[in-house]
Amino acid sequence: MSADLQTQFDALIDADERIEPRDWMPDAYRKTLIRQIAQHAHSEIIGMQPEGNWITRAPSLKRKAILMAKVQDEAGHGLYLYGAAETLGVDRAELLDLLHTRKQKYSSIFNYPTISWADVGAIGWLVDGAAITNQVPLCRCSYGPYARAMIRICKEESFHQRQGFEILLTLSNGTPAQRGLAQDAVNRWWWPSLMMFGPPDADSPNSAQSMAWGIKRFSNDELRQKFVDMTVPQAGVLGLTLPDPELRFDEETGHHHFGEIDWTEFYQVVKGNGPCNEQRLRHRVRAHEEGAWVGEAAAAYAAKQASREGVAVA
Ligand code: BYC
């Protein structure tokens, strides 16, 4: 029986069909998806913090409104993703607990500080740009609920990327001081953005199996290269330089060659030793505890409504 189920699962994967929650799936497939989707969801909600830091200090009403919309979108992305994870039989509260107790990860990128307004532009342009590059292929992920969540997320990420680019373009065409802020932000966010794609293929323990299952469609290095090739011409339009003396177009490969990434820094940040890891988690746990009453009030309201309508709630 189990062999039949495995054969059916393999046939769906081979035919590039979607696996749905009702379908049988190997335990390791389920576990990998829970790990990746949860890490992704955690990244979305922790990712609200660096930019949220600038909402009260945005330079105009228009910028403030746009930034608030963007940060709210990130909360929404977290919601879609926790929802997708729940279809695999885990509970959102359980996943949050794993985040808060450091048993699950979130993206390394959100452990860097946002020290000027230009950082909001650099995050939009580079971090959301990297996110789109990584996430567009996830719209074709073999697990249906994750793939469908990604379609909506990618549409919103495109707006995020454009708003970041536009902030940097404005600063870059502004006063020398504004231009300096834009360049400084790009200098600080460039290398961490390249790290978002994960370790080099040779050191990526999960890639081979995730690609065989159609969860990942491209390897970490392939996506990183795609991002560099897409971003270098955009830097030219912005009139900003990327902080890599080795960066050059290679006629032979048709790609941009770039310098060595500091993988020691990456692993330090992933292990919890980045500049803001402590602050991010502390803030998240506090927000969770202080916001608990909202969930309790919503549950009490739902129970009251249901009892009025004579429906039993779980
Ligand atoms: N940071 O075998 P590998 C956003 C871990 S949200 C931390 O290559 P995999 C946004 C990896 O988990 C951006 N850890 O793994 C939000 C694994 O450890 P475990 C988030 C990382 O899963 C708000 C180990 O290293 N995007 O854009 O095959 C505002 C070995 O790696 C990182 C996603 O989550 C990292 N950067 O590939 C603005 C996208 N990289 O779990 C923007 C979905 C690797 O075995 N996720 N690790 O203990 C993915 O596409 C894949 O999970 C990854 C890693 C490419 C990230």
Side-chain angles (χ1 to χ4, degrees), residues 283-294:
H283 187 78
R284 166 96 272 285
V285 171
R286 195 175 66 230
H288 184 73
E289 286 167 358
E290 288 177 0
W293 68 270
V294 178

Side-chain angles (χ1 to χ4, degrees), residues 35-36 39-40 43-44 47 51 70 74 105-108 110 127-128 131 134-135 138 146 195-199 204-207 216 220 266 270:
R35 176 185 64 79
Q36 179 166 327
Q39 175 172 320
H40 195 164
S43 304
E44 298 285 355
E51 291 175 284
K70 179 184 191 291
E74 310 301 356
K105 299 186 168 79
Y106 60 89
S107 181
S108 51
F110 301 115
V127 176
D128 288 286
N134 164 272
Q135 292 173 13
L138 289 174
Y146 191 27
M195 294 174 196
M196 281 176 74
F197 294 92
S204 163
N206 301 301
S207 276
K216 285 167 91 162
N220 298 357
F266 169 77
V270 172

Side-chain angles (χ1 to χ4, degrees), residues 75-291:
H77 297 175
L79 204 62
Y80 312 152
L81 288 165
Y82 285 119
E86 284 188 316
T87 65
L88 291 157
V90 281
D91 185 60
R92 195 184 339 164
E94 193 185 315
L95 297 179
L96 284 172
D97 196 47
L98 291 169
L99 168 66
H100 298 161
T101 51
R102 296 158 207 248
K103 292 187 187 110
Q104 276 181 347
K105 299 186 168 79
Y106 60 89
S107 181
S108 51
I109 193 74
F110 301 115
N111 293 306
Y112 292 86
T114 41
I115 60 180
S116 87
W117 168 252
D119 288 31
V120 174
I123 290 182
W125 178 44
L126 296 174
V127 176
D128 288 286
I132 295 171
T133 310
N134 164 272
Q135 292 173 13
V136 166
L138 289 174
C139 298
R140 291 189 294 117
C141 163
S142 60
Y143 187 58
Y146 191 27
R148 288 189 288 275
M150 291 316 305
I151 293 172
R152 183 143 173 208
I153 291 177
C154 284
K155 285 187 182 152
E156 292 173 354
E157 296 290 15
S158 302
F159 147 66
H160 296 171
Q161 200 258 359
R162 288 301 296 266
Q163 68 87 41
F165 183 87
E166 207 261 330
I167 289 174
L168 288 182
L169 190 62
T170 306
L171 291 173
S172 167
N173 289 319
T175 63
Q178 287 172 322
R179 195 181 166 70
L181 285 179
Q183 185 60 60
D184 175 59
V186 168
N187 291 349
R188 285 180 289 104
W189 288 92
W190 173 248
W191 291 107
S193 298
L194 296 188
M195 294 174 196
M196 281 176 74
F197 294 92
D201 294 349
D203 301 322
S204 163
N206 301 301
S207 276
Q209 182 60 74
S210 285
M211 287 179 74
W213 276 327
I215 295 173
K216 285 167 91 162
R217 298 285 177 171
F218 296 96
S219 76
N220 298 357
D221 286 332
E222 284 170 333
L223 291 173
R224 192 168 8 248
Q225 184 66 58
K226 208 182 260 231
F227 172 69
V228 173
D229 289 338
M230 177 186 89
T231 309
V232 172
Q234 295 177 3
V237 176
L238 287 172
L240 298 172
T241 51
L242 295 169
D244 178 358
E246 285 188 43
L247 197 59
R248 61 177 168 79
F249 186 71
D250 184 334
E251 295 285 350
E252 242 170 64
T253 61
H255 293 292
H256 291 84
H257 164 82
F258 54 95
E260 184 61 27
I261 294 170
D262 183 350
W263 292 112
T264 310
E265 174 180 325
F266 169 77
Y267 287 114
Q268 277 302 319
V269 175
V270 172
K271 265 196 240 152
N273 303 323
C276 300
N277 295 62
E278 280 305 313
Q279 178 189 336
R280 299 286 183 244
L281 261 187
R282 224 181 312 122
H283 187 78
R284 166 96 272 285
V285 171
R286 195 175 66 230
H288 184 73
E289 286 167 358
E290 288 177 0

